[in-house]
Amino acid sequence: MAEKIKILYIDDEMDNLTGFKATLRLDYQVFTAVTIPVALEHLEKHPDIRVIFCDQRMPVKTGVEFFEEIRVTHPLPMRILITAYTDIESVIDSINRGNIFRFVKKPWVEAEIVSAIEEANKFYQANSMLSIKNEELQRAYNELDKFAYSVSHDIRGPLSGILGAINVARDMHDITEMKEMLFLMEKSLKKLDTYILSMHDYYSLQRGELHIGDIDFKKLIDEFKDIYKAFSNTASINFKININQREPFRSDTVPLKLILNNLLSNAFKYQNKNNDAKMVELNIEVHRGVATIQVSDTGIGILGNHLGEIFNLFYRASSQEAGSGFGLYNVKSALLKLNGQIEVNSVLNKGTTFKVTIPTK
Amino acid sequence: MELSFIIIDDTELDHFIARKVIANANKNYSIKSFLDAPQALAYIQEDNHDEDAKIILVFLDIYMPLMNGFQFVEEFEKLDQAIQDKYYIAALTSSIEISDINKINSYRSFRTRITKPITANGITQLLNKIATEFGIELD
């Protein structure tokens, strides 16, 4: 069941508070305060109080004055004034200065209070939703900025290279030289292609919904084992796979594959070229509803000061290989969808280990 | 030769093109290539390269991992003035981003800006400009 809505009532007459609480405490979590300092204490302790009722006539401060103050310090709760005196001056005041949501006339009846709370709660929810949406929008804008910048470099970069090569080719007559250039052009185009494919991954991760099913890690790995086996043979990298799954595991294959593919291709790509015993190791263990995936390599490693940033969009910590700056960001987004975690351990020139833990769904 | 070249770029194809275009202008120019900025910086710091060269023209890519063109120039500007005076840095960029252009203009060490790809025309113009400014004979 949903948690009870928290409401606060301030009145200098104890009897009013007691009556109010007795009537409403079954349906709402009611806080009462006989003075303003007590009210402020409640607000500090319970920042999720949604509706505040306040009596207009109080010693020290009027209800309107109180609302005028907390409008600034606690803008979220809805403000409702309870008053027996409804002269037009105080109505104008409470609207203009207190920016109140509603009036309740004293003596109040339960139905009126309940309807005021329900209406106020709807407003409160709409407002909170709006601020969450605002935050999401701000994040999306920031990423869009990064995208615009990246597009002009990561897409235009390879294209301008190809254009430059075509220009140069006009005065080129040596076939070997031409072939060398074609090889480099291919490399640039492949980089562009990787970029676009990862951008597609990025988009589907941001927008796609989860499709949960039973996961057999052996089968899953079999699907792309061959690609890496071939790679491991040509680059003479020893590829070890250990899978230990004796219990069912439920998750979505698409983000899972994306995580495995990115970590493995990084492990193969960023190898230490001078190392004679190159190795990539994949360990998967499913135990008590948690899958632990470890990918270790004997590669170039990551400098400590880059470690904090490798999961950022478009961050690249090496110029050795054609990275798109998407890979690990996409891994992080995929893990966010699966409620998973990732840890990284790296020693420069020795190797890197990524450890991923994902709970079953 | 009174003029020599350093290319700093993380894309091999762009090195190849720049080398071709420079060699087409004069095949006797000496050209050094670096695939990342820290290596190039270490090389420049040692100094005493190219005793004959009056000016070393540096084609510096802006968008690189590890150390980008801006970070390189910030480090470069900390070097001895005598070293700095020998180098003429051209910012090389594939981007038409106004923010990049403004940032490039804000560094005194970026003497000029070239939008990729480097072309024969572009390099001839640049060489003529440098020749006049530093009194170098181009042959």
Side-chain angles (χ1 to χ4, degrees):
Chain A
M1 208 188 87
E3 223 177 285
K4 286 182 188 171
I5 297 169
K6 291 181 181 169
I7 60 178
L8 169 66
Y9 179 29
I10 306 132
D11 198 316
D12 60 317
E13 283 171 61
M14 202 61 193
D15 289 349
N16 288 344
L17 294 177
T18 318
F20 186 88
K21 193 166 186 173
T23 319
L24 296 163
R25 68 184 173 84
L26 274 183
D27 297 317
Y28 305 100
Q29 193 174 346
V30 184
F31 299 92
T32 55
V34 79
T35 63
I36 284 166
V38 177
L40 289 175
E41 246 173 66
H42 283 310
L43 282 170
E44 285 312 314
K45 248 194 228 158
H46 306 277
D48 53 343
I49 288 176
R50 293 192 177 183
V51 189
I52 305 173
F53 290 88
C54 188
D55 181 35
Q56 165 65 352
R57 280 230 175 159
M58 291 190 297
V60 189
K61 252 178 220 164
T62 66
V64 169
E65 281 167 339
F66 171 67
F67 278 154
E68 196 176 14
E69 277 176 27
I70 62 160
R71 243 180 91 184
V72 185
T73 53
H74 301 80
L76 294 178
M78 305 301 298
R79 297 171 289 272
I80 297 175
L81 197 69
I82 298 190
T83 175
Y85 310 90
T86 44
D87 59 283
I88 193 70
E89 275 310 307
S90 66
V91 173
I92 291 171
D93 242 21
S94 57
I95 290 173
N96 288 350
R97 288 167 58 200
N99 214 321
I100 61 153
F101 176 67
R102 260 204 191 176
F103 274 108
V104 173
K105 240 167 66 179
K106 252 181 180 175
W108 47 265
V109 287
E110 188 186 343
E112 207 179 331
I113 294 278
V114 169
S115 110
I117 293 174
E118 293 306 318
E119 284 302 311
N121 186 45
K122 276 185 205 156
F123 252 80
Y124 182 92
Q125 281 174 324
N127 275 344
S128 335
M129 199 50 86
L130 202 63
S131 63
I132 290 170
K133 289 278 170 214
N134 256 336
E135 262 172 48
E136 280 173 7
L137 208 57
Q138 194 54 51
R139 237 197 331 267
Y141 268 132
N142 291 344
E143 282 190 0
L144 199 62
D145 275 350
K146 280 189 179 178
F147 256 104
Y149 190 80
S150 153
V151 162
S152 75
H153 289 93
D154 292 307
I155 294 183
R156 197 162 186 277
L159 286 181
S160 72
I162 302 295
L163 277 178
I166 291 168
N167 275 333
V168 167
R170 293 202 177 103
D171 304 310
M172 200 182 272
H173 307 287
D174 183 35
I175 283 285
T176 8
E177 213 175 24
M178 197 79 100
K179 280 192 171 159
E180 190 191 340
M181 191 166 77
L182 279 173
F183 170 74
L184 295 175
M185 288 165 86
E186 186 190 15
K187 238 179 148 174
S188 281
L189 282 179
K190 276 186 176 159
K191 186 177 167 179
L192 181 58
D193 194 37
T194 313
Y195 179 88
I196 291 167
L197 288 175
S198 316
M199 186 139 91
H200 180 259
D201 280 347
Y202 167 89
Y203 188 78
S204 45
L205 276 171
Q206 303 294 319
R207 300 282 172 268
E209 281 173 16
L210 283 181
H211 301 283
I212 303 297
D214 284 321
I215 303 289
D216 181 343
F217 277 105
K218 261 211 165 69
K219 269 193 195 152
L220 192 77
I221 300 299
D222 276 343
E223 273 181 49
F224 53 76
K225 198 165 70 183
D226 293 341
I227 306 167
Y228 291 107
K229 280 274 191 236
F231 202 59
S232 113
N233 287 338
T234 46
S236 55
I237 300 167
N238 191 1
F239 185 27
K240 285 190 199 163
I241 305 172
N242 303 303
I243 301 171
N244 186 0
Q245 181 180 14
R246 289 201 210 109
E247 55 179 278
F249 186 77
R250 290 178 64 76
S251 196
D252 184 340
T253 47
V254 177
L256 264 187
K257 276 189 200 164
L258 186 144
I259 293 164
L260 283 162
N261 259 324
N262 272 296
L263 293 181
L264 283 174
S265 72
N266 277 351
F268 278 100
K269 234 163 49 175
Y270 297 103
Q271 282 291 335
N272 201 334
K273 294 208 162 91
N274 304 318
N275 189 342
D276 293 330
K278 298 190 202 62
M279 194 184 66
V280 172
E281 203 175 335
L282 170 67
N283 280 302
I284 300 178
E285 171 140 10
V286 185
H287 185 58
R288 291 191 179 170
V290 177
T292 306
I293 302 167
Q294 281 208 60
V295 178
S296 312
D297 65 55
T298 50
I300 52 174
I302 305 159
L303 259 179
N305 54 350
H306 293 293
L307 274 183
E309 302 195 68
I310 53 173
F311 295 104
N312 291 348
L313 187 56
F314 300 127
Y315 191 81
R316 294 177 54 204
S318 167
S319 56
Q320 178 170 319
E321 288 291 335
S324 64
F326 266 118
L328 289 176
Y329 179 86
N330 281 344
V331 167
K332 202 182 72 177
S333 308
L335 282 168
L336 207 64
K337 291 192 101 170
L338 303 177
N339 299 325
Q341 303 279 334
I342 187 161
E343 278 171 44
V344 53
N345 259 303
S346 189
V347 181
L348 204 62
N349 296 322
K350 287 266 184 270
T352 306
T353 299
F354 283 94
K355 183 179 166 190
V356 171
T357 47
I358 304 166
T360 187
K361 289 267 175 188
Chain B
M1 302 283 288
E2 289 187 316
L3 190 62
S4 73
F5 292 83
I6 289 179
I7 306 164
I8 310 169
D9 199 310
D10 64 321
T11 312
E12 289 167 90
L13 181 61
D14 291 348
H15 275 275
F16 187 92
I17 294 163
R19 280 179 167 270
K20 260 345 265 186
V21 173
I22 295 167
N24 282 345
N26 185 329
K27 63 177 168 30
N28 294 321
Y29 283 132
S30 122
I31 309 167
K32 280 215 72 90
S33 279
F34 295 96
L35 278 166
D36 67 59
Q39 279 183 39
L41 191 69
Y43 174 84
I44 288 174
Q45 264 167 345
E46 283 170 30
D47 196 25
N48 294 327
H49 307 296
D50 280 308
E51 286 289 327
D52 318 332
K54 264 192 187 170
I55 283 293
I56 301 167
L57 176 51
V58 180
F59 287 118
L60 174 64
D61 184 27
I62 296 302
Y63 193 63
M64 291 185 287
L66 286 178
M67 182 189 247
N68 64 28
F70 299 119
Q71 291 165 320
F72 174 89
V73 161
E74 275 159 30
E75 291 306 311
F76 174 82
E77 289 183 354
K78 291 179 192 159
L79 300 179
D80 284 349
Q81 196 55 48
I83 299 181
Q84 289 189 44
D85 288 344
K86 267 190 98 167
Y87 294 89
Y88 187 100
I89 301 181
L92 209 53
T93 165
S94 60
S95 110
I96 32 189
E97 287 273 315
I98 199 76
S99 66
D100 278 347
I101 295 171
N102 287 340
K103 199 165 177 195
I104 287 167
N105 291 338
S106 73
Y107 289 92
R108 62 178 160 84
S109 299
F110 283 123
R111 312 290 288 271
T112 186
R113 181 177 64 81
I114 298 172
T115 305
K116 283 183 185 178
I118 303 182
T119 59
N121 255 342
I123 212 143
T124 315
Q125 275 177 22
L126 178 60
L127 292 187
N128 285 334
K129 190 180 149 206
I130 293 175
T132 331
E133 193 177 335
F134 296 93
I136 294 171
E137 291 277 329
L138 296 177
D139 31 31

